[in-house]
Amino acid sequence: MPTHTPRPISGIVDAVVTTSRDPNGALAFHLLVGPPDRPRECDRIEFTLDPEHAHTLLGDTARPATRVPCRLGVEFNNCPTSG
């Protein structure tokens, strides 16, 4: 797999992330995008890593956690960017 150097994305928004594991060991990241004190108003995003990929990325540290703040940027491939 080729290496990829991420470039900054404009329009970063606040979010909250939690994780969970399924019985087969897949690791899911659950993102709530919006005001964390009003989760029903948030947009939801989830992405999942197969067990071997979660281990490659995070080693043995990938455990379900409490809610932690994060920042999320989304850039769609067909949209022009400024820069």
Side-chain angles (χ1 to χ4, degrees):
M1 177 182 281
T3 58
H4 171 71
T5 303
R7 59 185 175 80
I9 298 174
S10 63
I12 302 292
V13 296
D14 290 332
V16 172
V17 63
T18 60
T19 60
S20 64
R21 282 204 183 262
D22 73 12
N24 296 319
L27 178 65
F29 292 83
H30 312 276
L31 294 152
L32 292 176
V33 182
D37 58 333
R38 297 188 310 273
R40 287 201 162 122
E41 296 176 24
C42 291
D43 295 317
R44 296 166 33 106
I45 299 170
E46 179 178 308
F47 66 93
T48 304
L49 298 176
D50 290 334
E52 64 273 16
H53 300 134
H55 187 268
T56 298
L57 183 65
L58 302 168
D60 293 325
T61 63
R63 299 182 196 351
T66 59
R67 295 166 41 130
V68 294
C70 68
R71 287 169 298 287
L72 174 70
V74 177
E75 179 179 278
F76 296 102
N77 198 29
N78 61 350
C79 295
T81 60
S82 60

